[in-house]
Structure formats: C-alpha cells, structure tokens
Amino acid sequence: MKCEHCTRKECSKKTKTDDQENASVDVPSLALENREASKFHKLADAKIFLSDCLACDSCVTAEEGLQVSQQNAKDFFRVLNLNKKCDTSQHKVLVVSVCPQSLPYFAAKFRLSVTDASRRLCGFLKSLGVHYVFDTTIAADFSVLESQKEFVRRFRQHSEEEPALPMLTSACPGWVRYAERVLGHPVTPHLCTAKSPQQIMGSLVKDYFARRQNLSPDKIFHVIVAPCYDRKLEALREDVPTALHGSRGADCVLTSGEVVQIMEQSDLVVKDAAVDTLFGGLKEEEVRRHDGASSDGYLAHVFRHAAKQLFDEDVGEVTYRTLRNKDFQEVTLEKNGEVLLRFAAAYGFRNIQNVVLKLKKGRFPYHFVEVLACAGGCLNGRGQAQAEDGRADKALLRQMEGKYADVPVRPPETSAHVQELYREWLDGADSPRVREALHTVYQGPGLPAASRDIKW
C-alpha cells in the first residue's frame, strides 16, 4: 500500500523484511564542492536505506529527507568557508566531536591503530580549519553513570502495581525514535531517561565549554561524527537545546563514511594531532572505550553496578549467553540457584520486535535490555559499515571489531574529569542541574503533530 504522505513511486508502506532490507529512497544530494579551492571533488549522492533507521515506520517523506539533507558535509564546508572571510563578526568556532565507534572505521580504512587513526583524523580536521576536536567518550561516561543510578532506583521501586522494570536503554536514537513515534505506551515508560552521549556532548560543548571559552553558544558550530544516519535525526530533537539560548547541541552530523570520502578526495598535507579535551590545554593521548563489544557497553557497566549496589556481589568478567541469534544475548546473576538479575542485549529490528511483543504481552523475564537498532551494534552503523549494494560489509566489520577490542577499557567511574564536571558544571552528582542537563522525557505517538520535530 502506498504511503499517503509520500509522493515517491519507489517508496511503499512496509514492515522491514528480508526482501525490503535493501530498499532505498533518494534524499536531496549531499554532494559537496569546495568552491574556494578545488581540493574536493563532488561526493556521491547519498541514499538512506530503509534498514538504516528505525525512525521510519512507513517511508522516508520528502520533508524528512529535506531535514536530514541539512545535516551534511556541504553545511560543514559552508561554515569553514565563512570563517575564511574577512568579516570576523560572522566567524564560528568549529568544534568536531567524534564517537568512539567511528574510530575503528577510520583505523580499518587507513590501516592504523585506533589511537593513530584518531590522531590522523584530528590532524586532518584541523588542517581544514576546525578549531577543536573532542572524543565523545566523556559524554558516554555521564550517560552510563546516570543509567546505572536510574536502574538501581527503578529496581528498588518496582512493584506489580507500578512496574518500573524492565529498563530499556535510550542511547540509540533509531530505537528511541521508533519507540516514541510508533510504539508509545506501554514501551516509552520503560525507556531510561538518561540522555544519549550525543545529546550530552551537545550540552558539554555548547554550555560548559562555551562558558570556559567565554563564548555565546551560537558562536560555536558543533559537528558530530557518528556511525549511523539516525544521529542526524537525533540532532533535530526539540528537547536537546539544553538551555543554550536556542542553540542546538549538535549543528551538523556527518557519518564516518562521509568524512572518509572527504579525506580520500583531499590533497592536503596532514600532520597528526592529539585530540583536545574540554579542559583547556590538556590533550587526549590515547583512546579509551567502555566495556562493550560494539557499543558503549551499557549492559556490562549497569550489570556490575547493580550487582554490587543491590546484592553486594562483585562481578569481574561478564559472561554472555547467546540465545535465538548472535544479536540476542543474556547475562544473569545467580546465587544459591536463584536468578537475582537477568539482563539482555537485543540488537537489530527483528530482536527488537520480539522484545516489544513479549513486553506488551506481559511475558518479559528481563530486568534490563540494551537495545540497539543496528544488527551487530554501533560498529555496524550504516553510515560506515555497508558495501556499495547497501548490505553490511562483513569483512570490514570484522576488522573494526578486532581494532575496537584492542582499545583499553576505562570504567566511567574511574574518570577524574567526569567527577570534576559533576562538581564544577552540575553542582554535584545529585543536584537539580543533573536532571536538567543529563536526563530527558519522551514523547508518544498520541502527541499533536505540532509538538514533534518530524512530521510523519
């Protein structure tokens, strides 16, 4: 059946099946030409595959395509070129924040370690005219820590009359948008209220960093480099401006693949550079990650924290048990034959559908589920891990997984910078500022269209 909102002949209302996994809809071109200096050739027109994002329950509308198209390399170069003009009053401070799951892609593409790839990327961006390059791991630290606290609180408050469990993770924008726009109740009350790393990074850059630099938020142009297209949609959320005087936390989102296209077509001489931090002259000398095979590791970190806080059990290695497929895994904490905690990781649309079905039927055995839209997790985001035919590049994904596994793990609790930010930026770990800056509320499909950033 043709979607009533769509005028495209090739687009039809659908449920994602094997036959439609690679259907695609054209969006306005993300082609780029740097007209001031012919260093870059025209980039290939971008396509968004229907399997790229769970935000689409019927089709990619013309209006949505237009909004997504505004998150592109052309906009990035518009600001770079603006900064080359003599009128300094119009200049922007260009900040790029890179997701840790994007770095293994650059490492695989350029045959480098993840740390060396980070330095190469940072040097390239600064050679273009970017002022600061940050790693979003510090934002993910906050998101994980707030998720840990929320789970413990929900576990203690849970009752049959007022169920607070299971808690479903909220870091994946494709999954969250699908839950909000399509599922609504009874799913959205189970979403963790902690903001995603991208949202928190927007607050850090446009609020904390802006004040340290004595800048108005609207003087900063903040670019996110991410593995998937859903991050472009996430940048359009209306509740993200975070008291930034109307300035969005992320002004532009580029996929890893878009950035590699720019790098491959450049003839700039690049000198590697260490990634900046939010704290003045300090530099990030080595990349760190969280304890997740292809994500920010919410399941492992929340599981260990809950085991200690709720049952005084110290968990070292988290043991995963694969169930229906490799993208649905279970972790349990047992004592004297009793299951105290039962967690799951559900990646990909089919596993998400099974989770939702069981949850609606009231036959859901899990206390916590790490939900990611992409089968294979964040490393397999369609903005970086797909072949030219739109299918996942499995060989590339294996390389990325190996490189990501080599990155040292740093538990978020051990970050001195995070604790400093809790004190200096948020007035303490339990202050009202924490709720404002690090947590969100969710919409549902019953809300009027005017209150949504995407009109379906």
Side-chain angles (χ1 to χ4, degrees):
M1 187 175 96
K2 188 77 182 301
C3 173
E4 62 180 324
H5 300 298
C6 188
T7 60
R8 303 183 188 279
K9 294 179 181 178
E10 70 272 31
C11 182
S12 59
K13 190 173 181 65
K14 56 94 186 115
T15 300
K16 293 179 186 179
T17 64
D18 286 335
D19 292 338
Q20 292 159 322
E21 193 70 23
N22 296 294
S24 67
V25 180
D26 290 330
V27 299
S29 171
L30 304 187
L32 161 70
E33 287 188 16
N34 184 346
R35 293 181 174 83
E36 288 197 11
S38 301
K39 295 175 181 175
F40 301 98
H41 302 290
K42 185 177 180 181
L43 300 186
D45 286 354
K47 291 178 183 293
I48 290 183
F49 287 82
L50 296 183
S51 54
D52 287 342
C53 115
L54 285 180
C56 179
D57 73 315
S58 55
C59 69
V60 179
T61 67
E63 183 174 356
E64 182 186 12
L66 178 61
Q67 289 179 310
V68 170
S69 74
Q70 294 167 355
Q71 303 285 327
N72 62 39
K74 185 176 181 180
D75 199 32
F76 174 49
F77 274 87
R78 176 187 61 80
V79 178
L80 282 170
N81 291 333
L82 180 70
N83 282 357
K84 295 175 183 177
K85 294 180 178 179
C86 295
D87 186 0
T88 57
S89 65
Q90 297 184 48
H91 285 192
K92 299 274 190 177
V93 174
L94 261 160
V95 175
V96 175
S97 297
V98 183
C99 298
Q101 292 80 26
S102 288
L103 291 175
Y105 176 72
F106 294 103
K109 281 290 186 179
F110 299 113
R111 296 180 176 85
L112 299 170
S113 70
V114 170
T115 293
D116 287 344
S118 174
R119 294 175 62 86
R120 179 69 51 82
L121 175 62
C122 181
F124 174 75
L125 291 169
K126 291 196 171 184
S127 73
L128 290 177
V130 171
H131 299 96
Y132 299 93
V133 179
F134 297 133
D135 177 358
T136 67
T137 300
I138 192 166
D141 286 339
F142 277 113
S143 186
V144 170
L145 290 172
E146 291 303 306
S147 297
Q148 290 176 352
K149 291 189 289 187
E150 181 169 335
F151 176 77
V152 169
R153 183 171 65 252
R154 282 178 180 250
F155 190 93
R156 288 171 173 161
Q157 294 174 348
H158 178 73
S159 67
E160 292 299 324
E161 294 75 25
E162 296 186 35
L165 298 176
M167 188 173 91
L168 310 174
T169 58
S170 55
C172 172
W175 151 242
V176 169
R177 193 170 293 270
Y178 179 68
E180 284 185 306
R181 304 299 186 247
V182 181
L183 302 175
H185 286 272
V187 173
T188 48
H190 294 281
L191 289 174
C192 177
T193 66
K195 288 183 178 179
S196 73
Q198 176 170 307
Q199 292 172 313
I200 293 173
M201 198 68 198
S203 299
L204 283 167
V205 168
K206 291 290 189 84
D207 185 18
Y208 176 78
F209 180 72
R211 285 191 282 113
R212 279 186 65 98
Q213 299 295 318
N214 197 27
L215 290 168
S216 170
D218 61 8
K219 283 293 184 181
I220 297 176
F221 190 81
H222 185 205
V223 180
I224 299 285
V225 177
C228 71
Y229 293 101
D230 286 329
R231 296 290 174 192
K232 293 175 181 278
L233 289 168
E234 182 180 25
L236 302 174
R237 272 188 73 107
E238 291 299 335
D239 67 335
V240 178
T242 61
L244 304 176
H245 311 291
S247 176
R248 290 189 183 278
D251 299 291
C252 178
V253 176
L254 301 178
T255 65
S256 318
E258 287 175 282
V259 176
V260 162
Q261 278 187 294
I262 297 170
M263 295 177 76
E264 289 176 338
Q265 296 178 17
S266 167
D267 58 3
L268 292 172
V269 177
V270 176
K271 182 179 180 181
D272 292 357
V275 173
D276 301 297
T277 73
L278 297 162
F279 305 93
L282 296 175
K283 299 289 183 179
E284 293 281 7
E285 295 299 333
E286 190 173 17
V287 174
R288 294 285 190 270
R289 69 174 176 90
H290 292 137
D291 192 3
S294 62
S295 67
D296 279 310
Y298 286 81
L299 187 154
H301 290 295
V302 175
F303 186 80
R304 289 193 186 95
H305 180 79
K308 182 64 177 177
Q309 293 294 312
L310 297 170
F311 303 105
D312 198 29
E313 294 286 331
D314 292 304
V315 175
E317 185 74 18
V318 175
T319 303
Y320 294 81
R321 185 164 66 98
T322 300
L323 298 182
R324 63 174 61 245
N325 55 62
K326 64 182 179 62
D327 283 318
F328 194 96
Q329 296 183 309
E330 180 181 87
V331 175
T332 58
L333 177 69
E334 300 182 30
K335 190 173 183 179
N336 301 325
E338 179 186 0
V339 175
L340 304 177
L341 292 173
R342 191 186 299 274
F343 282 29
Y347 299 169
F349 187 72
R350 292 171 183 80
N351 289 321
I352 289 174
Q353 291 291 68
N354 287 324
V355 165
V356 170
L357 183 62
K358 289 182 179 180
L359 181 61
K360 287 183 174 180
K361 289 184 176 180
R363 298 201 300 266
F364 198 71
Y366 297 103
H367 299 106
F368 175 98
V369 185
E370 180 180 87
V371 185
L372 297 176
C374 292
C378 296
L379 289 183
N380 195 31
R382 289 303 183 94
Q384 66 181 23
Q386 67 180 30
E388 294 201 1
D389 63 358
R391 297 184 182 276
D393 187 332
K394 294 182 180 179
L396 177 61
L397 180 60
R398 284 194 295 271
Q399 288 184 58
M400 289 193 288
E401 288 172 343
K403 289 181 179 293
Y404 196 60
D406 289 338
V407 176
V409 172
R410 185 191 68 193
E413 298 90 343
T414 65
S415 172
H417 285 330
V418 168
Q419 299 308 318
E420 179 182 346
L421 283 166
Y422 267 122
R423 292 190 301 270
E424 291 188 3
W425 179 43
L426 300 171
D427 304 324
D430 298 309
S431 73
R433 281 277 293 133
V434 169
R435 169 59 56 177
E436 175 190 348
L438 304 182
H439 291 263
T440 189
V441 294
Y442 298 104
Q443 304 168 354
L447 293 178
S451 69
R452 306 186 202 167
D453 53 318
I454 296 294
K455 312 299 189 297
W456 298 98

